[in-house]
Amino acid sequence: MSQAQQPADPTATSSATSSATTPAPEPRTIRARFESKFPRGLIIRLIAYLFVGHLFAFFVYLLFVLGGQNQ
């Protein structure tokens, strides 16, 4: 039999198509999965904004406490 008459190898075609259609494997660790979803700069800004926001809230609370003592 010539090559044109031979049946195609099913394992060769399935492995070629499965590697092309399967997505990349998911990261295994929590840190790798978290870093793959969010950019590093976003995480740093989020932490900074949370810190500054709590600091500002404490300052406003302190103003109310000190202002209430003067009455």
Side-chain angles (χ1 to χ4, degrees), residues 59-71:
F59 176 70
V60 171
Y61 175 76
L62 187 65
L63 286 178
F64 278 102
V65 168
L66 293 176
Q69 288 179 351
N70 287 336
Q71 291 183 357

Side-chain angles (χ1 to χ4, degrees), residues 26-69:
E26 292 291 322
R28 299 188 191 270
T29 63
I30 293 173
R31 180 179 176 141
R33 192 173 24 201
F34 185 74
E35 288 179 349
S36 68
K37 291 184 180 182
F38 295 106
R40 187 175 181 94
L42 179 65
I43 295 170
I44 293 171
R45 276 182 299 186
L46 179 65
I47 292 171
Y49 290 158
L50 284 173
F51 177 74
V52 170
H54 281 87
L55 191 64
F56 180 72
F58 172 73
F59 176 70
V60 171
Y61 175 76
L62 187 65
L63 286 178
F64 278 102
V65 168
L66 293 176
Q69 288 179 351

